[in-house]
Amino acid sequence: MSKKSGRRAHGRHSSVRNVPVRTHWMLLTTLVLTLSAALLVQGYTQHLFDRTPDAAPREHRTAASVPARIASGGPVIEGASGRATRPADRTVSLTFDDGPDPVWTPKILDVLRRNQVHATFFTVGTRVAEYPDLARRIVAEGHQIGLHSFTHTDLGSASPWRRSLELRQTQLVIAGATGVTTPLLRPPYSATNRALTGADWNAVVQAGQEGYLTVLTTQDSEDWRRPGVERIIADATPKGAAGQIVLLHDAGGDRSQTVAALERLLPLLKAEGRRFTTVGEAVSLPTAERPATTANEWQGSALITAIRTSDWVVSALSWLLYAAGAVSALRAVAVFVSARRHVRKRRRPWGPPVTEPVSVIVPAYNESAGIEAAVRSLLASDHPVEVIVVDDGSTDGTADLVEALRLPGVRVIRQQNAGKPAALNTGIAAASCDLLVMVDGDTVFEPDAVRMIVQPFADRRVGAVSGNAKVVNRGGLLGRWQHIEYVVGFNLDRRLFDLAECMPTVPGAVGAFRRDALLRVGGVSDITLAEDTDLTMALCRAGWRVVYEERAKAWTEAPASLGALWKQRYRWCYGTLQAMWKHRGALVQRGQAGKLGRRGLIYLLLFQVLLPLLAPVVDVFAVYGLVFLDPVRILGLWAAFLMLQVLMGLYAFRLDGERPGPLWSLPLQQFVYRQLMYLVVIQSVFTAIAGSRLRWQRMERYGSLQVPVAPVESQPPHAAGGPQLQPQPGRAHPVQDHYVPETYPAPSAGYAYDDGYGHGHGHGHGDGHGHGHGYAG
């Protein structure tokens, strides 16, 4: 993200160029439809392919409807007219089913060429699409080619529409591969005329009406059983002078016995005076093959390309999903192990207790619904604080409301609307203390939260501390899902980041900073929408450690509608992408910056960008598996993945002291919330690629936060601005016992917006199927 793209107009009523991105949804829809089409092709050609041997026993069917003249007639049948033709006497038509096969078809063709014999190959459409060169060789060497259906399905038991589809698709791929069309058809699982059933006869009649001749057999070599070379020769040798159509196979398994038998059978039959012919020649069919029309040839070529492309796409995506699953499983193990180590590590104190006073900065824009609860909770802290509310041009009387409370120890600073970064910088400039806590106006602190969040500053290397943000409005499914997300994200991911020393975000809802560290990085930048992520990354790159203190708990309001959630997460995700791009240089730096780059940024890229982008593929694959694969297996995999999520949730809830009841809603989360989250990532990525710019969206407040019960008078003296807060030379003096309003000009141009600040970012978690839960905080 360039600095130019990050600039914002000054002033509340200024407009920001907000280019609507619509082409990405068209592109996403096209990609999903293309993938769905590829999977449909793959599913039909591969998973509806019937691999049962041709002569395997089938269910009993009646033959009552088969005409007598057909049952006792010749093996070449014209179904529409009911005419059956026999081959000429002393002719032998060798027919090969189930090919082409890359191993056995070439060997059989070599034997036929050496013996100058032409045969008829009844090919399966999907195999022709897979090996078009072999189909071309069959035709080029003077053999006849015929249809053996598209997926080797039993045409007798298939519906009429599928019969037509099977024949049409096979004809097209033959045309695309060889440039010819053929009327010859051998239905899979067919045998002699007497073996025809009523269902088979219906398929023969329909094929005749569509222009095909059905070719049955008179002699079965039974080579599919692999009975031995001698047996195959005996079964394929004609008895008597009648012409024969002999059934052999060039695919469907090991055909070495068939090749060896042909080497001996052909010279033997020639010596007996038998004449080898194709089926067309045996029944005097003058046009067994015709040149394909240009349209059929082009359609066939397109179908072959589609089938081969679908094979490649599915293979590539399968490997990608395996890799994603493996990485996600490793991540689950990593967060479990790191959480346990973090718990043991935090049992040791940071150092001597930190008791120095703290300046709490509350940037506020139209926060009247929750600002009183937020301020009163801060004054109820068991640690000395001054509270600085920076009103950023609110229009709902936020500043007036705080002033009317006349709370000791609270200052209100008014400035023209300039954006949250500018408001925070105003608060930093006005702060009296060396330690600062930044709080959103919709957040209520636990009484010990300030004391807990500043304890890590006993370590001089620590420049910032992330607290533990918790959802207060947990009612309904949406509230439960966000509650789960926050608990898991803060209690697993953040512990991992802490141990790896690559914390990417101190959430705006509950974070603490050294004032010196903030000044060294130039304060809060307004270049990105995720100012908290940007600031945290800047501190890491400056060499400061950023840690997580889970005992510092604060309660915040979460969006209560899908629309509000979408706007919030879209801004968070887009801002994080901006911050990642801005700080990409950390990838090649050393020290603390290098840890952020090679650990934190790569983790975010993998689990918050790439895997969520893969999530739609996972959903499409799941539907594909339920339709074409084993549904029980697919549901089992989904259940295993869900169980992993539940286990992670149970552990996170246990670490946070939460009741696990809301986890019952996790299965439902997979069907609404998950899709919303990965669509947010997709929208954000395309917005970033397009170079469009966002503005702050309004975060609706619901008044869920509770004002602390204890009155100010009953709080410890330091909460009311007692002597513990000592004025610092060269800084604004804290309020001692009365309210003094101040007005500051905006120190820098911020984001122009018509709405309130959303609360800051807390890193969420991505699951094993590649969806990310964005940022919570």
Side-chain angles (χ1 to χ4, degrees):
M1 315 294 174
S2 67
K3 287 187 177 181
K4 182 179 179 181
S5 67
R7 293 172 189 159
R8 298 293 179 269
H10 183 85
R12 178 175 178 270
H13 296 290
S14 300
S15 63
V16 176
R17 181 175 174 268
N18 185 19
V19 180
V21 181
R22 296 292 181 265
T23 54
H24 67 282
W25 291 124
M26 296 176 59
L27 179 59
L28 175 63
T29 302
T30 301
L31 291 175
V32 170
L33 290 177
T34 301
L35 175 60
S36 300
L39 290 176
L40 283 173
V41 171
Q42 179 75 187
Y44 187 84
T45 58
Q46 299 298 322
H47 301 294
L48 293 184
F49 193 102
D50 194 339
R51 290 173 172 77
T52 307
D54 276 332
R58 292 184 297 166
E59 63 182 22
H60 177 72
R61 298 173 183 167
T62 179
S65 61
V66 180
R69 67 182 182 279
I70 297 297
S72 60
V76 181
I77 304 170
E78 204 289 301
S81 64
R83 185 177 63 184
T85 306
R86 297 182 184 277
D89 288 348
R90 301 196 68 77
T91 60
V92 177
S93 296
L94 300 178
T95 61
F96 296 89
D97 288 5
D98 295 350
D101 181 273
V103 176
W104 304 112
T105 301
K107 292 182 178 181
I108 289 173
L109 288 172
D110 291 342
V111 174
L112 296 175
R113 185 180 64 247
R114 286 195 297 269
N115 289 273
Q116 298 181 340
V117 170
H118 289 155
T120 303
F121 289 78
F122 290 100
T123 56
V124 178
T126 56
R127 292 189 177 275
V128 172
E130 194 172 1
Y131 308 110
D133 292 342
L134 289 177
R136 281 192 287 271
R137 179 180 171 184
I138 289 171
V139 173
E141 294 187 2
H143 305 285
Q144 277 185 344
I145 194 167
L147 285 66
H148 199 47
S149 82
F150 194 65
T151 61
H152 200 266
T153 191
D154 184 352
L155 297 178
S157 62
S159 60
W161 70 265
R162 187 175 178 192
R163 293 172 188 163
S164 295
L165 179 64
E166 290 276 328
L167 300 183
R168 174 62 176 165
Q169 301 302 83
T170 309
Q171 188 74 274
L172 283 178
V173 294
I174 289 176
T178 67
V180 302
T181 59
T182 174
L184 302 180
L185 163 68
R186 171 167 290 160
Y189 311 107
S190 62
T192 64
N193 293 53
R194 294 191 179 277
L196 281 175
T197 67
D200 297 332
W201 174 242
N202 290 336
V204 171
V205 171
Q206 182 178 342
Q209 292 169 346
E210 296 181 14
Y212 295 98
L213 289 174
T214 299
V215 180
L216 303 180
T217 63
T218 61
Q219 198 156 348
D220 187 355
S221 69
E222 296 195 351
D223 63 335
W224 62 275
R225 296 181 184 273
R226 293 194 286 276
V229 174
E230 297 296 336
R231 186 65 183 173
I232 293 174
I233 293 174
D235 290 339
T237 301
K239 310 297 188 292
Q244 303 293 331
I245 296 180
V246 181
L247 174 61
L248 296 138
H249 295 83
D250 64 328
D254 183 353
R255 297 293 173 237
S256 58
Q257 292 181 7
T258 302
V259 175
L262 282 175
E263 292 277 14
R264 294 168 53 187
L265 178 66
L266 300 184
L268 178 64
L269 295 184
K270 280 187 175 182
E272 292 182 359
R274 306 281 180 176
R275 184 167 62 92
F276 290 98
T277 67
T278 62
V279 169
E281 293 170 344
V283 297
S284 301
L285 183 65
T287 55
E289 291 174 353
R290 300 184 182 90
T293 64
T294 301
N296 281 345
E297 195 167 350
W298 276 97
Q299 289 177 49
S301 298
L303 181 56
I304 291 172
T305 301
I307 293 172
R308 301 186 77 175
T309 301
S310 72
D311 291 341
W312 181 86
V313 168
V314 172
S315 178
L317 289 179
S318 296
W319 282 107
L320 191 60
L321 290 178
Y322 283 132
V327 169
S328 298
L330 289 175
R331 171 189 169 274
V333 173
V335 296
F336 271 118
V337 172
S338 62
R340 289 180 61 85
R341 289 186 58 191
H342 189 272
V343 169
R344 291 195 296 267
K345 183 178 180 180
R346 285 297 175 264
R347 291 171 182 167
R348 300 190 297 269
W350 291 97
V354 176
T355 58
E356 62 182 281
V358 174
S359 295
V360 183
I361 302 170
V362 187
Y365 176 76
N366 289 352
E367 297 285 1
S368 60
I371 192 68
E372 179 179 356
V375 171
R376 287 189 181 277
S377 73
L378 293 170
L379 292 179
S381 298
D382 61 5
H383 193 90
V385 297
E386 69 166 347
V387 178
I388 304 172
V389 177
V390 182
D391 183 272
D392 191 43
S394 295
T395 60
D396 68 344
T398 297
D400 295 334
L401 189 155
V402 178
E403 291 174 2
L405 296 175
R406 305 190 63 82
L407 296 173
V410 176
R411 277 190 288 166
V412 174
I413 301 175
R414 298 174 183 263
Q415 68 175 32
Q416 294 179 351
N417 174 236
K420 186 177 181 180
L424 289 171
N425 287 330
T426 297
I428 293 170
S432 302
C433 305
D434 288 322
L435 300 182
L436 310 179
V437 171
M438 297 182 184
V439 185
D440 283 333
D442 64 337
T443 304
V444 166
F445 268 41
E446 294 278 356
D448 63 349
V450 173
R451 174 169 54 84
M452 290 298 183
I453 203 170
V454 298
Q455 294 311 307
F457 291 121
D459 185 341
R460 296 301 304 173
R461 298 173 301 170
V462 174
V465 184
S466 166
N468 186 358
K470 304 176 71 61
V471 174
V472 67
N473 51 329
R474 305 177 181 183
L477 281 176
L478 193 59
R480 288 189 181 93
W481 290 337
Q482 292 179 85
H483 169 48
I484 294 170
E485 177 187 37
Y486 275 46
V487 172
V488 174
F490 274 90
N491 287 282
L492 295 183
D493 279 323
R494 285 188 175 274
R495 295 175 190 269
L496 174 64
F497 289 137
D498 191 343
L499 288 180
E501 299 184 23
C502 61
M503 186 76 69
T505 305
V506 171
V510 52
F513 302 85
R514 288 189 190 276
R515 191 172 189 275
D516 290 344
L518 293 177
L519 295 178
R520 289 186 192 181
V521 299
V524 184
S525 171
D526 65 353
I527 291 179
T528 73
L529 285 178
E531 81 292 328
D532 44 11
T533 300
D534 187 2
L535 176 61
T536 307
M537 291 182 177
L539 291 171
C540 288
R541 295 187 69 185
W544 294 97
R545 277 211 58 192
V546 181
V547 300
Y548 172 55
E549 177 50 75
E550 70 275 9
R551 296 173 297 176
K553 296 180 180 180
W555 299 83
T556 187
E557 280 190 324
S561 68
L562 288 176
L565 180 64
W566 172 275
K567 291 180 180 179
Q568 182 197 65
R569 298 307 172 89
Y570 181 26
R571 176 172 55 80
W572 289 2
C573 186
Y574 181 77
T576 301
L577 291 175
Q578 288 180 307
M580 290 171 64
W581 180 253
K582 177 182 176 182
H583 296 286
R584 63 192 184 278
L587 289 166
V588 295
Q589 290 182 292
R590 296 181 179 179
Q592 200 65 41
K595 293 175 183 178
L596 170 70
R598 291 182 290 277
R599 298 175 187 176
L601 294 186
I602 290 177
Y603 186 97
L604 291 179
L605 178 65
L606 186 60
F607 292 105
Q608 296 299 314
V609 179
L610 297 182
L611 287 183
L613 290 178
L614 194 61
V617 177
V618 175
D619 287 348
V620 175
F621 257 77
V623 176
Y624 165 75
L626 291 173
V627 174
F628 292 108
L629 303 179
D630 182 3
V632 175
R633 179 186 170 202
I634 298 300
L635 291 174
L637 289 173
W638 180 80
F641 159 70
L642 184 62
M643 183 56 65
L644 179 62
Q645 280 192 304
V646 170
L647 291 175
M648 293 177 67
L650 285 171
Y651 187 50
F653 272 60
R654 177 185 173 188
L655 291 176
D656 209 29
E658 290 279 356
R659 295 180 178 178
L663 292 174
W664 70 263
S665 65
L666 268 178
L668 299 176
Q669 191 186 50
Q670 307 305 307
F671 300 106
V672 178
Y673 196 80
R674 177 174 166 272
Q675 283 73 22
L676 182 70
M677 292 300 102
Y678 71 58
L679 289 175
V680 163
V681 176
I682 292 171
Q683 170 97 337
S684 302
V685 169
F686 275 95
T687 303
I689 293 174
S692 301
R693 295 193 290 180
L694 299 181
R695 62 182 182 178
W696 287 92
Q697 290 104 14
R698 174 172 178 77
M699 171 63 186
E700 184 178 357
R701 304 305 182 200
Y702 312 102
S704 308
L705 303 174
Q706 298 295 319
V707 177
V709 176
V712 174
E713 290 77 15
S714 65
Q715 296 167 9
H718 59 259
Q724 290 85 352
L725 286 176
Q726 298 300 323
Q728 301 291 323
R731 300 188 192 170
H733 290 193
V735 178
Q736 298 298 319
D737 55 3
H738 60 282
Y739 167 78
V740 179
E742 300 177 60
T743 301
Y744 281 69
S748 62
Y751 295 105
Y753 52 87
D754 299 332
D755 39 45
Y757 301 125
H759 48 272
H761 308 268
H763 188 70
H765 67 287
D767 61 36
H769 269 296
H771 71 275
H773 289 320
Y775 294 85

CSV table of all heavy atoms in Angstrom, one decimal, residues 36-63:
chain,number,residue,atom,x,y,z
A,36,SER,N,-17.0,-25.6,-10.1
A,36,SER,CA,-18.1,-26.5,-10.0
A,36,SER,C,-18.3,-27.4,-11.3
A,36,SER,O,-18.5,-28.6,-11.2
A,36,SER,CB,-19.4,-25.7,-9.7
A,36,SER,OG,-19.3,-25.0,-8.5
A,37,ALA,N,-18.1,-26.7,-12.4
A,37,ALA,CA,-18.2,-27.4,-13.7
A,37,ALA,C,-17.1,-28.5,-13.8
A,37,ALA,O,-17.4,-29.6,-14.3
A,37,ALA,CB,-18.1,-26.4,-14.9
A,38,ALA,N,-15.9,-28.1,-13.4
A,38,ALA,CA,-14.8,-29.0,-13.5
A,38,ALA,C,-15.1,-30.2,-12.6
A,38,ALA,O,-14.8,-31.4,-13.0
A,38,ALA,CB,-13.5,-28.4,-13.1
A,39,LEU,N,-15.6,-30.0,-11.4
A,39,LEU,CA,-15.9,-31.1,-10.5
A,39,LEU,C,-17.1,-31.9,-11.0
A,39,LEU,O,-17.1,-33.1,-10.8
A,39,LEU,CB,-16.2,-30.5,-9.1
A,39,LEU,CG,-15.1,-29.9,-8.4
A,39,LEU,CD1,-15.5,-29.3,-7.1
A,39,LEU,CD2,-14.0,-30.9,-8.1
A,40,LEU,N,-18.0,-31.3,-11.7
A,40,LEU,CA,-19.1,-32.1,-12.2
A,40,LEU,C,-18.6,-33.0,-13.3
A,40,LEU,O,-19.0,-34.2,-13.4
A,40,LEU,CB,-20.2,-31.1,-12.8
A,40,LEU,CG,-21.1,-30.5,-11.8
A,40,LEU,CD1,-22.0,-29.5,-12.5
A,40,LEU,CD2,-22.0,-31.5,-11.1
A,41,VAL,N,-17.7,-32.5,-14.2
A,41,VAL,CA,-17.1,-33.3,-15.2
A,41,VAL,C,-16.3,-34.4,-14.6
A,41,VAL,O,-16.4,-35.6,-15.0
A,41,VAL,CB,-16.2,-32.4,-16.2
A,41,VAL,CG1,-15.4,-33.3,-17.1
A,41,VAL,CG2,-17.1,-31.5,-16.9
A,42,GLN,N,-15.5,-34.1,-13.6
A,42,GLN,CA,-14.7,-35.1,-12.9
A,42,GLN,C,-15.5,-36.1,-12.2
A,42,GLN,O,-15.3,-37.3,-12.3
A,42,GLN,CB,-13.8,-34.4,-11.9
A,42,GLN,CG,-12.9,-35.3,-11.1
A,42,GLN,CD,-11.7,-35.8,-11.9
A,42,GLN,OE1,-11.0,-36.7,-11.4
A,42,GLN,NE2,-11.5,-35.3,-13.1
A,43,GLY,N,-16.6,-35.6,-11.6
A,43,GLY,CA,-17.4,-36.6,-10.9
A,43,GLY,C,-18.2,-37.5,-11.8
A,43,GLY,O,-18.3,-38.7,-11.5
A,44,TYR,N,-18.6,-37.0,-12.9
A,44,TYR,CA,-19.4,-37.8,-13.9
A,44,TYR,C,-18.4,-38.8,-14.5
A,44,TYR,O,-18.7,-40.0,-14.6
A,44,TYR,CB,-20.0,-37.0,-14.9
A,44,TYR,CG,-21.0,-37.8,-15.8
A,44,TYR,CD1,-22.3,-38.0,-15.4
A,44,TYR,CD2,-20.5,-38.2,-17.1
A,44,TYR,CE1,-23.1,-38.8,-16.2
A,44,TYR,CE2,-21.4,-39.0,-17.9
A,44,TYR,CZ,-22.6,-39.3,-17.5
A,44,TYR,OH,-23.5,-40.0,-18.3
A,45,THR,N,-17.3,-38.3,-15.0
A,45,THR,CA,-16.4,-39.2,-15.8
A,45,THR,C,-15.6,-40.2,-14.9
A,45,THR,O,-15.3,-41.3,-15.3
A,45,THR,CB,-15.4,-38.4,-16.6
A,45,THR,OG1,-14.6,-37.6,-15.7
A,45,THR,CG2,-16.1,-37.5,-17.6
A,46,GLN,N,-15.3,-39.8,-13.7
A,46,GLN,CA,-14.5,-40.7,-12.8
A,46,GLN,C,-15.3,-41.5,-11.8
A,46,GLN,O,-15.1,-42.7,-11.6
A,46,GLN,CB,-13.4,-39.9,-12.1
A,46,GLN,CG,-12.5,-39.2,-13.1
A,46,GLN,CD,-11.7,-40.2,-14.0
A,46,GLN,OE1,-11.3,-41.2,-13.5
A,46,GLN,NE2,-11.5,-39.8,-15.2
A,47,HIS,N,-16.2,-40.8,-11.1
A,47,HIS,CA,-16.9,-41.4,-10.0
A,47,HIS,C,-18.2,-42.1,-10.4
A,47,HIS,O,-18.8,-42.8,-9.5
A,47,HIS,CB,-17.0,-40.4,-8.9
A,47,HIS,CG,-15.7,-39.9,-8.4
A,47,HIS,ND1,-14.8,-40.7,-7.8
A,47,HIS,CD2,-15.2,-38.6,-8.5
A,47,HIS,CE1,-13.7,-39.9,-7.5
A,47,HIS,NE2,-13.9,-38.7,-8.0
A,48,LEU,N,-18.7,-41.8,-11.6
A,48,LEU,CA,-19.8,-42.6,-12.1
A,48,LEU,C,-19.4,-43.7,-13.1
A,48,LEU,O,-20.2,-44.3,-13.7
A,48,LEU,CB,-20.9,-41.7,-12.7
A,48,LEU,CG,-21.6,-40.7,-11.8
A,48,LEU,CD1,-22.6,-39.9,-12.5
A,48,LEU,CD2,-22.2,-41.4,-10.6
A,49,PHE,N,-18.1,-43.8,-13.2
A,49,PHE,CA,-17.5,-44.8,-14.1
A,49,PHE,C,-17.7,-46.2,-13.5
A,49,PHE,O,-17.3,-46.4,-12.3
A,49,PHE,CB,-16.0,-44.6,-14.3
A,49,PHE,CG,-15.4,-45.4,-15.4
A,49,PHE,CD1,-15.1,-44.8,-16.7
A,49,PHE,CD2,-15.0,-46.7,-15.3
A,49,PHE,CE1,-14.6,-45.5,-17.7
A,49,PHE,CE2,-14.5,-47.4,-16.3
A,49,PHE,CZ,-14.2,-46.8,-17.5
A,50,ASP,N,-18.3,-47.1,-14.2
A,50,ASP,CA,-18.6,-48.4,-13.7
A,50,ASP,C,-17.5,-49.4,-14.1
A,50,ASP,O,-17.3,-49.7,-15.3
A,50,ASP,CB,-19.9,-49.0,-14.3
A,50,ASP,CG,-20.5,-50.2,-13.5
A,50,ASP,OD1,-19.6,-50.8,-12.8
A,50,ASP,OD2,-21.7,-50.4,-13.6
A,51,ARG,N,-16.7,-49.8,-13.1
A,51,ARG,CA,-15.5,-50.7,-13.4
A,51,ARG,C,-15.8,-52.1,-13.2
A,51,ARG,O,-14.9,-53.0,-13.2
A,51,ARG,CB,-14.4,-50.2,-12.4
A,51,ARG,CG,-13.8,-48.9,-12.8
A,51,ARG,CD,-12.8,-48.4,-11.8
A,51,ARG,NE,-12.1,-47.2,-12.3
A,51,ARG,CZ,-12.6,-46.0,-12.3
A,51,ARG,NH1,-13.8,-45.8,-11.8
A,51,ARG,NH2,-12.0,-44.9,-12.8
A,52,THR,N,-17.1,-52.5,-13.1
A,52,THR,CA,-17.5,-53.9,-13.0
A,52,THR,C,-17.1,-54.6,-14.3
A,52,THR,O,-17.4,-54.0,-15.4
A,52,THR,CB,-19.0,-54.1,-12.7
A,52,THR,OG1,-19.3,-53.3,-11.5
A,52,THR,CG2,-19.3,-55.5,-12.5
A,53,PRO,N,-16.5,-55.8,-14.3
A,53,PRO,CA,-16.2,-56.5,-15.6
A,53,PRO,C,-17.4,-56.7,-16.4
A,53,PRO,O,-18.5,-56.9,-15.9
A,53,PRO,CB,-15.5,-57.8,-15.1
A,53,PRO,CG,-15.0,-57.5,-13.7
A,53,PRO,CD,-16.0,-56.5,-13.1
A,54,ASP,N,-17.2,-56.7,-17.7
A,54,ASP,CA,-18.4,-56.8,-18.6
A,54,ASP,C,-19.2,-58.1,-18.4
A,54,ASP,O,-20.4,-58.0,-18.5
A,54,ASP,CB,-17.9,-56.9,-20.1
A,54,ASP,CG,-17.7,-55.4,-20.6
A,54,ASP,OD1,-18.4,-54.5,-20.2
A,54,ASP,OD2,-16.8,-55.3,-21.5
A,55,ALA,N,-18.6,-59.2,-18.1
A,55,ALA,CA,-19.3,-60.5,-18.0
A,55,ALA,C,-19.6,-60.8,-16.5
A,55,ALA,O,-20.0,-61.9,-16.3
A,55,ALA,CB,-18.5,-61.6,-18.6
A,56,ALA,N,-19.5,-59.9,-15.6
A,56,ALA,CA,-19.8,-60.1,-14.2
A,56,ALA,C,-21.3,-60.4,-14.1
A,56,ALA,O,-22.1,-59.8,-14.9
A,56,ALA,CB,-19.4,-58.9,-13.4
A,57,PRO,N,-21.8,-61.2,-13.2
A,57,PRO,CA,-23.2,-61.5,-13.0
A,57,PRO,C,-24.0,-60.2,-12.7
A,57,PRO,O,-23.5,-59.4,-11.9
A,57,PRO,CB,-23.2,-62.5,-11.8
A,57,PRO,CG,-21.8,-63.1,-11.8
A,57,PRO,CD,-20.9,-62.0,-12.3
A,58,ARG,N,-25.2,-60.1,-13.3
A,58,ARG,CA,-26.1,-59.0,-13.0
A,58,ARG,C,-27.4,-59.5,-12.4
A,58,ARG,O,-27.7,-60.7,-12.5
A,58,ARG,CB,-26.3,-58.2,-14.3
A,58,ARG,CG,-25.1,-57.5,-14.9
A,58,ARG,CD,-25.4,-56.7,-16.1
A,58,ARG,NE,-25.9,-57.6,-17.2
A,58,ARG,CZ,-26.6,-57.1,-18.3
A,58,ARG,NH1,-26.8,-55.8,-18.4
A,58,ARG,NH2,-27.0,-57.9,-19.2
A,59,GLU,N,-28.1,-58.5,-11.9
A,59,GLU,CA,-29.4,-58.9,-11.4
A,59,GLU,C,-30.3,-59.5,-12.4
A,59,GLU,O,-30.2,-59.2,-13.6
A,59,GLU,CB,-30.1,-57.7,-10.8
A,59,GLU,CG,-30.4,-56.6,-11.8
A,59,GLU,CD,-31.0,-55.4,-11.2
A,59,GLU,OE1,-30.8,-55.2,-9.9
A,59,GLU,OE2,-31.7,-54.6,-11.9
A,60,HIS,N,-31.1,-60.4,-12.0
A,60,HIS,CA,-32.0,-61.1,-13.0
A,60,HIS,C,-33.0,-60.2,-13.6
A,60,HIS,O,-33.7,-59.4,-12.9
A,60,HIS,CB,-32.7,-62.3,-12.3
A,60,HIS,CG,-33.7,-63.0,-13.2
A,60,HIS,ND1,-33.2,-63.8,-14.2
A,60,HIS,CD2,-35.0,-63.0,-13.3
A,60,HIS,CE1,-34.3,-64.3,-14.9
A,60,HIS,NE2,-35.4,-63.8,-14.3
A,61,ARG,N,-33.1,-60.2,-14.9
A,61,ARG,CA,-34.1,-59.4,-15.6
A,61,ARG,C,-34.9,-60.3,-16.6
A,61,ARG,O,-34.3,-61.2,-17.2
A,61,ARG,CB,-33.4,-58.2,-16.4
A,61,ARG,CG,-32.7,-57.3,-15.5
A,61,ARG,CD,-31.9,-56.3,-16.4
A,61,ARG,NE,-31.1,-55.4,-15.6
A,61,ARG,CZ,-30.1,-54.6,-16.2
A,61,ARG,NH1,-29.9,-54.7,-17.5
A,61,ARG,NH2,-29.4,-53.8,-15.4
A,62,THR,N,-36.1,-59.9,-16.8
A,62,THR,CA,-36.9,-60.7,-17.7
A,62,THR,C,-36.6,-60.4,-19.2
A,62,THR,O,-36.2,-59.2,-19.5
A,62,THR,CB,-38.4,-60.5,-17.5
A,62,THR,OG1,-39.2,-61.2,-18.4
A,62,THR,CG2,-38.8,-59.0,-17.7
A,63,ALA,N,-36.7,-61.4,-20.1
A,63,ALA,CA,-36.4,-61.2,-21.5
A,63,ALA,C,-37.7,-61.3,-22.3
A,63,ALA,O,-37.7,-61.5,-23.5
A,63,ALA,CB,-35.4,-62.2,-22.0
